[in-house]
Amino acid sequence: MKARILELLKQNKELFLSGEDISRQIGITRAAVWKYIKQLQSEGYLIKSVSNNGYKLVNCPDILTYEEICENLKTDIIGHKIIHFDSIDSTNNKAKELAEKGEPEGTVIISEAQTSGKGRVGRQWYSQAYQGICLSVILRPNIDLLSVPLITQIACAAICKATIKITDGVQIKWPNDLLLGGRKFCGILTESSGEIDKVNYIIVGIGINVNQEKNDFPESLEKKATSLKIETTNYISRKNFVCDIFYELEKMYMEYKENGIMDDVIDYCRKFSSVIGKQIKVERNGTGSRAKAVDINNRGELLVEFENGNTESISTGNISIM
Ligand code: BTN
């Protein structure tokens, strides 16, 4: 009902709609209309209410609900079902729970805040409520478990492409981070379930710092983290940015899923890499080895040359630039 009232108000933007009109068109009482209008106002919708005139929608909030995103959605699958929370422990946890119950490909879980946001290797993901983007996309490609890291590269390339439309200077820090001015503004946590030769589902968890100010980050992150707003000094519309990410993600993902083509993805991962050509430390099994990052191959793996001259392609892992 609330969504229906919002739809009516949006269709008549800039006009007053009487409570009676709304109640007749939707088939609810005027008291119920008033209750839903109050709810919408509490969610941040600016609705002018004038006695004898009715209600007029003046402004919509930058929240990541389906109702706010659908206007700019240009995808066929990703984002056509959005399950939105004001706060949740982790969108990845919720997405896994729903994927286990059969939730189809393309459903997105979005939360304005997370109480236990997860990063890779047991790290935490911290995000100020309503300032960033915290979402998880459910995918069901017909691939084996060894190919899952490719999906992270697809997400990196897609977010990179969407971010370039906002600002220069974006870099991809293989395998799952995006940087601006050398600091992290986006992290991706890909989780999957299935058999070795057939994935059942993949959850692509995306965390992006969008409108945070410097003092929104805890002290421990001050030197490592940044946001799009800090780097550009502009407020960024999260709902527009999310739509663009879905668009770029779906294009690259479908090209891989349907045709096995990754050319565009690998081009982005190479061109915008912050690690290729650099001395790095590869951390594995509790030890770190010095190496040079040489290239990213067609499977999205990082080619490294260790100090003893051995070369290896690594598909996932923890690296740091020295
Ligand atoms: C990393 O930097 O290691 C990855 C961070 C991924 C954070 C996102 S926020 C949405 C989704 N839900 C989570 O709990 N984590 C991911």
Side-chain angles (χ1 to χ4, degrees):
M1 283 306 159
K2 194 175 70 182
R4 195 59 199 103
I5 293 180
L6 185 57
E7 203 184 320
L8 270 182
L9 289 171
K10 282 188 174 183
Q11 282 163 1
N12 294 279
K13 225 175 167 191
E14 309 304 327
L15 295 175
F16 276 101
L17 261 185
S18 72
E20 200 178 323
D21 262 357
I22 301 176
S23 76
R24 199 168 358 91
Q25 290 197 50
I26 304 188
I28 55 174
T29 63
R30 283 177 63 180
V33 171
W34 183 80
K35 192 186 84 188
Y36 288 122
I37 294 278
K38 284 274 158 237
Q39 271 182 29
L40 287 167
Q41 285 171 330
S42 73
E43 285 167 20
Y45 288 90
L46 201 58
I47 301 170
K48 211 168 170 180
S49 152
V50 175
S51 46
N52 298 330
N53 260 339
Y55 306 105
K56 180 167 92 170
L57 180 61
V58 179
N59 203 8
C60 298
D62 189 21
I63 52 172
L64 304 178
T65 55
Y66 179 75
E67 287 73 24
E68 284 311 306
I69 283 173
C70 65
E71 290 164 34
N72 292 320
L73 205 55
K74 291 177 287 176
T75 53
D76 291 327
I77 322 169
I78 296 179
H80 279 264
K81 179 170 176 192
I82 288 178
I83 303 176
H84 177 266
F85 295 88
D86 288 324
S87 180
I88 197 174
D89 58 345
S90 149
T91 56
N92 265 35
N93 287 353
K94 190 69 186 174
K96 272 197 275 182
E97 182 192 316
L98 295 170
E100 288 289 343
K101 291 182 190 152
E103 191 65 37
E105 169 156 284
T107 296
V108 182
I109 319 303
I110 299 187
S111 190
E112 302 291 355
Q114 292 185 121
T115 52
S116 310
K118 301 186 297 181
R120 279 179 69 241
V121 288
R123 294 196 201 105
Q124 278 188 340
W125 178 259
Y126 176 83
S127 181
Q128 184 85 354
Y130 293 92
Q131 304 303 318
I133 294 172
C134 297
L135 63 84
S136 302
V137 185
I138 298 176
L139 298 176
R140 295 187 184 275
N142 197 3
I143 59 173
D144 56 27
L145 271 181
L146 285 176
S147 303
V148 172
L150 272 178
I151 303 292
T152 309
Q153 298 313 301
I154 293 175
C156 279
I159 298 165
C160 178
K161 201 169 172 187
T163 309
I164 288 166
K165 294 175 204 164
I166 298 175
T167 181
D168 293 335
V170 189
Q171 288 187 304
I172 299 176
K173 180 174 171 275
W174 187 94
N176 70 310
D177 291 344
L178 280 97
L179 316 177
L180 276 171
R183 293 178 183 187
K184 177 163 167 174
F185 76 98
C186 169
I188 297 163
L189 175 65
T190 307
E191 299 186 272
S192 59
S193 158
E195 309 298 316
I196 187 84
D197 57 341
K198 170 82 178 76
V199 153
N200 176 18
Y201 62 80
I202 297 179
I203 307 298
V204 184
I206 298 173
I208 308 181
N209 300 328
V210 184
N211 287 318
Q212 284 93 336
E213 305 285 356
K214 272 196 176 132
N215 54 14
D216 283 331
F217 293 106
E219 223 176 286
S220 58
L221 291 181
E222 251 171 30
K223 292 207 168 71
K224 296 182 198 157
T226 191
S227 74
L228 277 158
K229 186 167 182 210
I230 293 170
E231 298 302 320
T232 63
T233 67
N234 292 324
Y235 175 86
I236 310 292
S237 157
R238 294 183 309 146
K239 51 188 180 188
N240 291 348
F241 189 36
V242 158
C243 283
D244 211 29
I245 289 171
F246 289 169
Y247 174 71
E248 300 298 351
L249 182 62
E250 184 168 297
K251 255 200 323 188
M252 287 176 169
Y253 170 65
M254 283 303 167
E255 183 77 336
Y256 168 63
K257 187 182 169 182
E258 287 170 1
N259 309 316
I261 296 175
M262 289 278 290
D263 299 3
D264 208 17
V265 172
I266 302 303
D267 279 356
Y268 271 90
C269 291
R270 280 197 181 120
K271 188 168 169 206
F272 294 93
S273 171
S274 70
V275 300
I276 292 178
K278 300 260 170 68
Q279 291 299 325
I280 59 171
K281 193 163 88 185
V282 181
E283 280 159 38
R284 282 189 301 196
N285 312 322
T287 55
S289 322
R290 292 165 74 102
K292 184 177 176 191
V294 180
D295 198 3
I296 289 171
N297 69 15
N298 291 340
R299 290 194 47 78
E301 297 161 339
L302 187 69
L303 298 181
V304 297
E305 189 181 312
F306 290 100
E307 283 187 320
N308 62 8
N310 288 350
T311 57
E312 214 178 294
S313 53
I314 49 179
S315 63
T316 186
N318 218 13
I319 61 159
S320 47
I321 299 171
M322 303 193 59

